[in-house]
Coordinates of all heavy atoms in Angstrom, one line a residue:
M1 N -18.3 52.0 -14.8 CA -19.5 51.8 -15.5 C -20.7 52.2 -14.7 O -20.7 52.0 -13.5 CB -19.7 50.3 -15.8 CG -20.9 49.9 -16.6 SD -20.8 48.2 -17.1 CE -22.5 47.9 -17.2
T2 N -21.6 52.9 -15.3 CA -22.8 53.4 -14.6 C -23.9 52.4 -14.7 O -24.3 51.9 -15.8 CB -23.3 54.7 -15.3 OG1 -22.2 55.6 -15.2 CG2 -24.4 55.3 -14.5
Q3 N -24.5 52.1 -13.5 CA -25.6 51.1 -13.4 C -26.9 51.8 -13.5 O -27.2 52.7 -12.6 CB -25.4 50.3 -12.2 CG -26.5 49.3 -12.0 CD -26.4 48.5 -10.7 OE1 -25.4 48.6 -10.0 NE2 -27.4 47.7 -10.3
P4 N -27.8 51.5 -14.4 CA -29.1 52.1 -14.4 C -30.0 51.5 -13.3 O -30.0 50.3 -13.1 CB -29.7 51.8 -15.8 CG -28.9 50.6 -16.3 CD -27.6 50.6 -15.6
I5 N -30.7 52.4 -12.7 CA -31.7 52.0 -11.6 C -33.1 52.6 -12.0 O -33.2 53.8 -12.1 CB -31.3 52.6 -10.2 CG1 -29.9 52.1 -9.8 CG2 -32.3 52.2 -9.2 CD1 -29.8 50.6 -9.6
K6 N -34.0 51.8 -12.3 CA -35.4 52.2 -12.7 C -36.2 52.5 -11.4 O -36.3 51.7 -10.5 CB -36.0 51.2 -13.5 CG -37.4 51.6 -14.0 CD -37.8 50.8 -15.2 CE -39.2 51.2 -15.7 NZ -39.4 52.6 -16.0
V7 N -36.8 53.7 -11.5 CA -37.7 54.1 -10.4 C -39.1 54.4 -11.0 O -39.2 54.7 -12.2 CB -37.2 55.3 -9.6 CG1 -35.9 55.0 -8.9 CG2 -37.0 56.5 -10.5
N8 N -40.2 54.2 -10.2 CA -41.5 54.3 -10.8 C -42.1 55.7 -10.6 O -43.2 56.0 -11.2 CB -42.4 53.3 -10.1 CG -42.0 51.9 -10.4 OD1 -41.5 51.6 -11.4 ND2 -42.1 51.0 -9.4
K9 N -41.5 56.6 -9.8 CA -42.1 57.9 -9.6 C -40.9 58.9 -9.2 O -39.8 58.5 -9.1 CB -43.1 57.8 -8.4 CG -42.5 57.3 -7.1 CD -43.5 57.1 -6.1 CE -42.9 56.5 -4.8 NZ -42.6 57.3 -3.8
D10 N -41.3 60.1 -8.9 CA -40.4 61.1 -8.4 C -39.8 60.5 -7.1 O -40.5 59.9 -6.3 CB -41.0 62.4 -8.1 CG -41.5 63.2 -9.3 OD1 -40.9 62.8 -10.4 OD2 -42.3 64.1 -9.2
I11 N -38.5 60.7 -6.9 CA -37.8 60.1 -5.8 C -36.8 61.1 -5.2 O -36.1 61.8 -6.0 CB -37.2 58.8 -6.2 CG1 -36.8 58.0 -5.0 CG2 -36.0 59.0 -7.2 CD1 -36.5 56.5 -5.3
R12 N -36.6 61.1 -3.9 CA -35.6 61.9 -3.2 C -34.3 61.1 -3.2 O -34.3 59.9 -3.3 CB -36.1 62.3 -1.8 CG -37.3 63.2 -1.8 CD -37.5 63.6 -0.3 NE -37.2 62.7 0.7 CZ -38.0 62.0 1.4 NH1 -39.3 62.1 1.3 NH2 -37.6 61.1 2.3
L13 N -33.2 61.8 -3.0 CA -31.9 61.2 -3.0 C -31.8 60.1 -1.9 O -31.3 59.0 -2.2 CB -30.8 62.2 -2.8 CG -29.4 61.8 -2.7 CD1 -29.0 61.0 -4.0 CD2 -28.5 62.9 -2.5
D14 N -32.3 60.4 -0.7 CA -32.2 59.4 0.4 C -33.0 58.1 0.1 O -32.6 57.0 0.3 CB -32.6 60.0 1.7 CG -34.0 60.5 1.8 OD1 -34.6 60.8 0.8 OD2 -34.4 60.7 3.0
Q15 N -34.2 58.3 -0.6 CA -35.0 57.2 -1.0 C -34.4 56.4 -2.1 O -34.4 55.2 -2.1 CB -36.4 57.7 -1.5 CG -37.2 58.4 -0.4 CD -38.5 59.0 -1.1 OE1 -38.4 59.6 -2.1 NE2 -39.6 58.9 -0.3
F16 N -33.7 57.1 -3.0 CA -33.0 56.4 -4.1 C -31.9 55.5 -3.6 O -31.8 54.4 -4.1 CB -32.5 57.4 -5.1 CG -31.7 56.8 -6.2 CD1 -32.4 56.3 -7.3 CD2 -30.3 56.7 -6.2 CE1 -31.7 55.8 -8.4 CE2 -29.6 56.2 -7.3 CZ -30.4 55.7 -8.4
L17 N -31.1 56.0 -2.6 CA -30.1 55.1 -2.1 C -30.6 53.9 -1.5 O -30.0 52.8 -1.7 CB -29.2 55.9 -1.1 CG -28.5 57.2 -1.6 CD1 -27.8 57.9 -0.5 CD2 -27.5 56.8 -2.7
K18 N -31.7 53.9 -0.8 CA -32.3 52.8 -0.2 C -32.9 51.9 -1.3 O -32.7 50.7 -1.3 CB -33.4 53.2 0.8 CG -33.9 52.0 1.6 CD -34.8 52.5 2.7 CE -35.5 51.3 3.4 NZ -36.6 51.7 4.2
W19 N -33.6 52.5 -2.3 CA -34.3 51.8 -3.4 C -33.2 50.9 -4.2 O -33.5 49.8 -4.6 CB -35.0 52.8 -4.3 CG -35.6 52.2 -5.5 CD1 -35.1 52.2 -6.8 CD2 -36.9 51.5 -5.6 NE1 -35.9 51.6 -7.7 CE2 -37.1 51.2 -7.0 CE3 -37.9 51.2 -4.7 CZ2 -38.2 50.5 -7.4 CZ3 -39.0 50.6 -5.2 CH2 -39.2 50.2 -6.5
A20 N -32.0 51.5 -4.4 CA -31.0 50.9 -5.2 C -30.1 49.9 -4.3 O -29.1 49.4 -4.8 CB -30.1 52.0 -5.8
N21 N -30.5 49.7 -3.1 CA -29.8 48.8 -2.2 C -28.4 49.2 -1.9 O -27.5 48.4 -1.7 CB -29.9 47.4 -2.7 CG -31.3 46.8 -2.6 OD1 -32.0 47.0 -1.7 ND2 -31.6 46.1 -3.7
I22 N -28.2 50.5 -1.9 CA -26.9 51.1 -1.6 C -26.8 51.2 -0.1 O -25.7 51.0 0.5 CB -26.6 52.4 -2.3 CG1 -26.7 52.3 -3.8 CG2 -25.3 53.1 -1.8 CD1 -26.9 53.5 -4.6
T23 N -27.9 51.6 0.6 CA -28.0 51.6 2.0 C -29.1 50.7 2.5 O -30.0 50.4 1.7 CB -28.2 53.0 2.5 OG1 -29.5 53.5 2.0 CG2 -27.1 54.0 2.1
G24 N -29.1 50.3 3.7 CA -30.1 49.5 4.2 C -31.3 50.2 4.9 O -32.3 49.6 5.2
S25 N -31.1 51.5 5.1 CA -32.2 52.3 5.8 C -32.1 53.7 5.4 O -31.0 54.2 4.9 CB -32.1 52.1 7.3 OG -30.9 52.8 7.8
G26 N -33.1 54.5 5.8 CA -33.1 55.9 5.6 C -32.1 56.6 6.4 O -31.5 57.6 6.0
G27 N -31.9 56.1 7.6 CA -30.8 56.6 8.5 C -29.4 56.5 7.9 O -28.6 57.4 8.0
E28 N -29.2 55.3 7.3 CA -27.9 55.1 6.7 C -27.7 56.1 5.5 O -26.6 56.6 5.3 CB -27.7 53.7 6.2 CG -27.4 52.7 7.2 CD -27.3 51.3 6.7 OE1 -26.8 51.1 5.5 OE2 -27.7 50.3 7.3
S29 N -28.8 56.3 4.8 CA -28.7 57.2 3.6 C -28.4 58.6 4.1 O -27.6 59.3 3.5 CB -30.1 57.2 2.9 OG -30.3 56.0 2.3
K30 N -29.1 59.0 5.2 CA -28.9 60.4 5.7 C -27.4 60.6 6.1 O -26.8 61.6 5.7 CB -29.8 60.6 6.9 CG -29.6 61.9 7.6 CD -30.5 62.0 8.9 CE -30.2 63.3 9.6 NZ -31.0 63.3 10.9
I31 N -26.8 59.6 6.8 CA -25.4 59.7 7.2 C -24.5 59.8 6.0 O -23.6 60.6 6.0 CB -25.1 58.6 8.2 CG1 -25.8 58.7 9.5 CG2 -23.6 58.5 8.4 CD1 -25.8 57.5 10.4
L32 N -24.7 58.9 5.1 CA -23.9 58.9 3.9 C -23.9 60.2 3.1 O -22.9 60.7 2.7 CB -24.3 57.7 3.0 CG -23.4 57.3 1.8 CD1 -22.1 56.8 2.3 CD2 -24.1 56.3 0.9
I33 N -25.1 60.7 2.9 CA -25.3 62.0 2.2 C -24.6 63.1 3.0 O -23.9 63.9 2.4 CB -26.8 62.3 2.0 CG1 -27.3 61.2 1.0 CG2 -27.0 63.7 1.4 CD1 -28.9 61.2 1.0
Q34 N -25.0 63.3 4.3 CA -24.5 64.4 5.0 C -23.0 64.3 5.3 O -22.4 65.3 5.7 CB -25.3 64.5 6.3 CG -26.7 65.0 6.0 CD -27.6 65.1 7.3 OE1 -27.2 64.6 8.4 NE2 -28.7 65.8 7.1
S35 N -22.4 63.2 5.1 CA -20.9 63.0 5.3 C -20.2 63.4 4.0 O -19.0 63.4 4.0 CB -20.6 61.6 5.6 OG -21.2 61.2 6.9
G36 N -20.9 63.8 2.9 CA -20.3 64.2 1.7 C -19.8 63.1 0.8 O -19.0 63.4 -0.1
H37 N -20.4 61.9 0.9 CA -19.9 60.8 0.1 C -20.8 60.6 -1.1 O -20.7 59.5 -1.8 CB -19.9 59.5 1.0 CG -18.9 59.6 2.1 ND1 -17.5 59.5 1.8 CD2 -19.0 59.7 3.4 CE1 -16.9 59.6 3.0 NE2 -17.8 59.7 4.0
V38 N -21.7 61.5 -1.4 CA -22.6 61.3 -2.5 C -22.6 62.5 -3.4 O -22.6 63.7 -2.9 CB -24.1 61.1 -2.0 CG1 -25.1 60.9 -3.2 CG2 -24.2 59.9 -1.1
K39 N -22.5 62.3 -4.7 CA -22.6 63.3 -5.7 C -23.7 63.1 -6.7 O -24.1 62.0 -7.0 CB -21.3 63.4 -6.6 CG -20.0 63.8 -5.8 CD -18.8 63.8 -6.7 CE -17.6 64.2 -5.9 NZ -16.4 64.2 -6.8
V40 N -24.3 64.2 -7.1 CA -25.4 64.1 -8.1 C -24.9 65.0 -9.3 O -24.6 66.2 -9.1 CB -26.7 64.6 -7.6 CG1 -27.8 64.6 -8.7 CG2 -27.2 63.8 -6.4
N41 N -24.7 64.3 -10.4 CA -24.2 65.0 -11.6 C -22.9 65.7 -11.4 O -22.7 66.8 -11.8 CB -25.3 66.0 -12.2 CG -26.5 65.2 -12.6 OD1 -26.5 64.1 -13.1 ND2 -27.7 65.9 -12.4
G42 N -22.0 65.0 -10.6 CA -20.7 65.5 -10.4 C -20.5 66.5 -9.2 O -19.4 67.0 -9.0
I43 N -21.6 66.9 -8.6 CA -21.6 67.9 -7.5 C -22.0 67.2 -6.2 O -23.0 66.6 -6.1 CB -22.6 69.1 -7.8 CG1 -22.2 69.7 -9.1 CG2 -22.6 70.1 -6.7 CD1 -23.2 70.7 -9.6
T44 N -21.1 67.4 -5.2 CA -21.4 66.8 -3.9 C -22.7 67.4 -3.4 O -23.0 68.6 -3.4 CB -20.3 67.2 -2.9 OG1 -19.0 66.7 -3.4 CG2 -20.6 66.6 -1.5
E45 N -23.6 66.5 -3.0 CA -24.9 66.8 -2.5 C -25.1 66.4 -1.0 O -24.9 65.2 -0.7 CB -26.0 66.1 -3.4 CG -27.4 66.4 -3.0 CD -27.7 67.9 -3.2 OE1 -27.7 68.4 -4.3 OE2 -28.0 68.5 -2.1
I46 N -25.4 67.4 -0.2 CA -25.6 67.1 1.2 C -27.1 67.2 1.7 O -27.4 67.0 2.8 CB -24.7 67.9 2.1 CG1 -25.0 69.4 1.9 CG2 -23.3 67.6 1.9 CD1 -24.4 70.3 2.9
R47 N -28.0 67.4 0.7 CA -29.4 67.5 1.0 C -30.1 66.2 0.7 O -30.2 65.8 -0.4 CB -30.1 68.6 0.2 CG -29.6 70.0 0.4 CD -30.2 71.0 -0.6 NE -29.7 70.6 -1.9 CZ -30.2 71.0 -3.1 NH1 -31.3 71.8 -3.0 NH2 -29.7 70.7 -4.2
R48 N -30.5 65.5 1.8 CA -31.1 64.2 1.6 C -32.4 64.3 0.8 O -32.9 63.3 0.2 CB -31.3 63.4 2.9 CG -32.1 64.1 3.9 CD -32.1 63.5 5.2 NE -33.2 62.6 5.4 CZ -33.9 62.5 6.5 NH1 -33.4 63.1 7.6 NH2 -34.9 61.7 6.6
G49 N -33.1 65.4 0.9 CA -34.4 65.6 0.2 C -34.3 66.1 -1.2 O -35.3 66.3 -1.9
K50 N -33.1 66.1 -1.8 CA -32.9 66.5 -3.2 C -33.7 65.6 -4.1 O -33.6 64.4 -4.1 CB -31.4 66.4 -3.5 CG -31.0 66.4 -5.0 CD -30.9 67.7 -5.5 CE -30.4 67.7 -7.0 NZ -30.9 68.7 -7.8
K51 N -34.6 66.3 -4.9 CA -35.4 65.5 -5.9 C -34.5 65.1 -7.1 O -33.9 66.0 -7.7 CB -36.6 66.4 -6.3 CG -37.5 66.7 -5.2 CD -38.7 65.8 -5.2 CE -39.6 66.3 -4.1 NZ -40.7 65.5 -4.0
L52 N -34.6 63.9 -7.4 CA -33.8 63.4 -8.6 C -34.7 63.4 -9.8 O -35.9 63.3 -9.8 CB -33.3 62.0 -8.3 CG -32.4 61.8 -7.2 CD1 -32.0 60.4 -7.0 CD2 -31.1 62.7 -7.3
Q53 N -34.0 63.7 -11.0 CA -34.7 63.7 -12.3 C -34.2 62.5 -13.1 O -33.1 62.0 -12.8 CB -34.3 65.0 -13.0 CG -34.6 66.3 -12.2 CD -36.1 66.5 -12.0 OE1 -36.9 66.2 -12.9 NE2 -36.4 66.9 -10.8
S54 N -34.9 62.1 -14.1 CA -34.5 61.1 -15.0 C -33.2 61.5 -15.7 O -32.9 62.7 -16.0 CB -35.5 60.9 -16.1 OG -35.2 59.7 -16.9
N55 N -32.2 60.6 -15.8 CA -30.9 60.8 -16.3 C -29.9 61.4 -15.4 O -28.8 61.7 -15.8 CB -30.9 61.5 -17.7 CG -31.7 60.7 -18.7 OD1 -31.5 59.5 -18.8 ND2 -32.5 61.4 -19.5
D56 N -30.3 61.7 -14.1 CA -29.3 62.1 -13.2 C -28.3 61.0 -12.9 O -28.7 59.8 -12.9 CB -30.0 62.5 -11.8 CG -30.6 63.9 -11.9 OD1 -30.3 64.7 -12.8 OD2 -31.3 64.2 -10.9
I57 N -27.1 61.3 -12.7 CA -26.1 60.4 -12.3 C -25.7 60.5 -10.8 O -25.4 61.6 -10.4 CB -24.8 60.6 -13.1 CG1 -25.0 60.5 -14.6 CG2 -23.7 59.6 -12.6 CD1 -25.3 59.1 -15.1
V58 N -25.9 59.5 -10.0 CA -25.7 59.5 -8.6 C -24.4 58.7 -8.4 O -24.3 57.5 -8.7 CB -26.8 58.9 -7.8 CG1 -26.5 58.9 -6.3 CG2 -28.1 59.7 -8.0
E59 N -23.4 59.4 -7.8 CA -22.1 58.7 -7.5 C -21.9 58.6 -6.0 O -22.1 59.5 -5.3 CB -20.9 59.6 -8.0 CG -20.9 59.9 -9.5 CD -19.9 61.0 -9.8 OE1 -18.7 60.8 -9.5 OE2 -20.2 61.9 -10.5
V60 N -21.6 57.3 -5.6 CA -21.5 57.1 -4.2 C -20.1 56.5 -3.9 O -19.8 55.5 -4.5 CB -22.6 56.1 -3.7 CG1 -22.5 55.8 -2.2 CG2 -24.0 56.6 -4.0
D61 N -19.4 57.1 -3.1 CA -18.0 56.7 -2.7 C -18.1 55.2 -2.3 O -18.8 54.8 -1.4 CB -17.4 57.5 -1.6 CG -17.1 58.9 -2.0 OD1 -17.1 59.2 -3.3 OD2 -16.8 59.8 -1.2
G62 N -17.3 54.4 -2.9 CA -17.2 53.0 -2.6 C -18.3 52.1 -3.1 O -18.2 50.9 -3.0
A63 N -19.3 52.7 -3.8 CA -20.4 51.8 -4.3 C -20.6 51.9 -5.8 O -21.1 51.0 -6.4 CB -21.7 52.2 -3.6
G64 N -20.1 53.1 -6.4 CA -20.2 53.2 -7.8 C -21.1 54.3 -8.3 O -21.5 55.2 -7.5
N65 N -21.4 54.3 -9.6 CA -22.2 55.3 -10.3 C -23.5 54.7 -10.7 O -23.6 53.6 -11.2 CB -21.5 55.9 -11.5 CG -20.2 56.5 -11.1 OD1 -20.0 56.9 -10.0 ND2 -19.3 56.7 -12.1
F66 N -24.6 55.5 -10.5 CA -25.9 55.0 -10.8 C -26.7 56.0 -11.6 O -26.7 57.2 -11.3 CB -26.7 54.7 -9.5 CG -25.9 53.7 -8.6 CD1 -25.0 54.2 -7.7 CD2 -26.1 52.3 -8.7 CE1 -24.2 53.3 -6.9 CE2 -25.3 51.5 -8.0 CZ -24.4 52.0 -7.0
L67 N -27.4 55.5 -12.7 CA -28.2 56.4 -13.5 C -29.7 56.2 -13.1 O -30.2 55.1 -13.0 CB -28.0 55.9 -15.0 CG -28.9 56.6 -16.0 CD1 -28.6 58.1 -16.2 CD2 -28.8 55.9 -17.4
V68 N -30.3 57.4 -12.9 CA -31.7 57.4 -12.5 C -32.5 57.3 -13.8 O -32.4 58.1 -14.7 CB -32.1 58.7 -11.8 CG1 -33.6 58.7 -11.5 CG2 -31.3 58.9 -10.6
V69 N -33.4 56.2 -13.9 CA -34.2 56.0 -15.1 C -35.7 56.0 -14.6 O -36.1 55.2 -13.8 CB -33.9 54.6 -15.7 CG1 -34.8 54.3 -16.9 CG2 -32.4 54.5 -16.1
M70 N -36.5 56.9 -15.2 CA -37.9 57.0 -14.9 C -38.7 56.5 -16.0 O -38.4 56.6 -17.2 CB -38.3 58.4 -14.5 CG -37.7 58.8 -13.2 SD -38.2 60.4 -12.6 CE -37.2 60.7 -11.2

């Protein structure tokens, strides 16, 4: 099941992971992303600065799937 996460503005992938309480810090987000454990719309994403759009699906190994809602 995909969990919707509402954001108030444009957001980068690393910020989103922290906002959604998937990670506790930007440093944890960076490691998780660069380790290849995060997908955006089904594609592994290793750029922590990737800008997310409304309706993007963020998949995190071990944490689940999240829908970006703006």
